[in-house]
Amino acid sequence: MTAVLQNNPTTEAATIAAQNDAFRKSIMFFNDAEDTPKGQFVMTSGVAAMGPDARLAATRQVAAFEAFTPDNDPHGSHEFGAVEVFGTTIWFKVDLYDVNYEMGADVPTDPEQTRRVLTLLLPSEY
């Protein structure tokens, strides 16, 4: 994936969305290409406590999620969504960090300078 180094918010959002999608799909090996952005996949204690079947169902749904709309994705960066698992809403959020996970990414469109953290969480844990 090539970094976009221009200051066009629409182009930047589209680039970040494509990278977020590739990373999100990689959590279930739907996309295991060599150029998949690097990062971590984590979940909160509330999601973990739902048990292995719910965790797997949530992970599968998040990896396959494509229902982004202007209402749930106003910036077009595919950084947030919600899925229903066994009657419980689970949110997912993608945050962009520097390569040391210490602060926000300086150039979020550059996968060599950016690391993603995809978190599964319950709305009550936000």
Side-chain angles (χ1 to χ4, degrees):
M1 292 182 192
T2 306
V4 175
L5 300 177
Q6 50 192 311
N7 289 332
N8 180 328
T10 303
T11 303
E12 184 173 291
T15 299
I16 291 170
Q19 293 170 353
N20 285 346
D21 288 347
F23 180 72
R24 189 172 35 74
K25 291 175 183 190
S26 75
I27 66 174
M28 286 299 298
F29 306 105
F30 295 157
N31 175 18
D32 59 356
E34 190 172 303
D35 64 346
T36 298
K38 295 173 179 65
Q40 299 176 13
F41 172 53
V42 299
M43 64 186 69
T44 61
S45 58
V47 174
M50 293 178 68
D53 292 341
R55 291 192 304 262
L56 179 58
T59 303
R60 284 181 174 153
Q61 286 187 46
V62 168
F65 189 85
E66 294 187 8
F68 294 103
T69 68
D71 288 335
N72 68 14
D73 187 34
H75 303 290
S77 57
H78 295 189
E79 66 185 5
F80 177 85
V83 297
E84 284 287 319
V85 176
F86 305 141
T88 300
T89 298
I90 297 176
W91 288 351
F92 67 87
K93 173 80 174 105
V94 179
D95 293 296
L96 308 179
Y97 292 93
D98 68 0
V99 296
N100 297 314
Y101 299 96
E102 294 174 347
M103 61 185 74
D106 286 332
V107 184
T109 55
D110 184 353
E112 295 303 316
Q113 296 183 50
T114 303
R115 297 297 177 264
R116 284 161 167 74
V117 175
L118 189 155
T119 305
L120 300 185
L121 66 151
L122 300 174
S124 62
E125 295 175 302
Y126 184 71

